[in-house]
Amino acid sequence: HLTNAAVQKSHDEYNRNNDLKWDIRSLKLYLVTKHGEERVNKLFKDIQDVMIRSLICVQNVMINDKHCFELYGYDIMIDGNL
């Protein structure tokens, strides 16, 4: 799927210095400054739990083939309350 960054980078006024993509460290540091370390650590633990539990739910139907692999991605939405 297309991300905002993929669409916006073709715009005439696109500025690479104002890119919408952050690495996970930058995101976490920003959130810590806004919400505190304890709350952000809980958020990241909750995200990890969602990912693990969802994979456990489908483990019996996941392809197990030594000649290939599958990548699983997650889109996580975080509101202002974390």
Side-chain angles (χ1 to χ4, degrees), residues 24 47 51 64:
I24 198 74
I47 292 170
M51 295 168 69
N64 186 8

Side-chain angles (χ1 to χ4, degrees), residues 12-26:
D12 292 340
E13 295 178 23
Y14 175 74
N15 180 347
R16 182 180 276 291
N17 295 327
N18 295 330
D19 200 354
L20 296 173
K21 294 188 280 186
W22 290 359
D23 59 50
I24 198 74
R25 182 177 183 274
S26 297

Side-chain angles (χ1 to χ4, degrees), residues 4-82:
N4 285 341
V7 172
Q8 292 176 358
K9 72 180 182 181
S10 63
H11 192 275
D12 292 340
E13 295 178 23
Y14 175 74
N15 180 347
R16 182 180 276 291
N17 295 327
N18 295 330
D19 200 354
L20 296 173
K21 294 188 280 186
W22 290 359
D23 59 50
I24 198 74
R25 182 177 183 274
S26 297
L27 172 63
K28 194 168 185 178
L29 287 172
Y30 171 79
L31 291 173
V32 165
T33 65
K34 298 293 183 184
H35 300 280
E37 187 173 5
E38 183 177 335
R39 181 64 190 104
V40 173
N41 285 340
K42 182 181 179 331
L43 170 69
F44 276 77
K45 174 71 168 93
D46 291 346
I47 292 170
Q48 180 181 349
D49 288 346
V50 166
M51 295 168 69
I52 290 170
R53 289 177 181 154
S54 69
L55 291 171
I56 288 170
C57 288
V58 297
Q59 68 182 346
N60 292 332
V61 296
M62 294 171 76
I63 295 174
N64 186 8
D65 185 339
K66 65 180 179 180
H67 301 292
C68 67
F69 62 92
E70 293 189 47
L71 295 176
Y72 297 90
Y74 291 82
D75 291 327
I76 304 292
M77 295 181 70
I78 303 169
D79 68 9
N81 298 320
L82 303 187

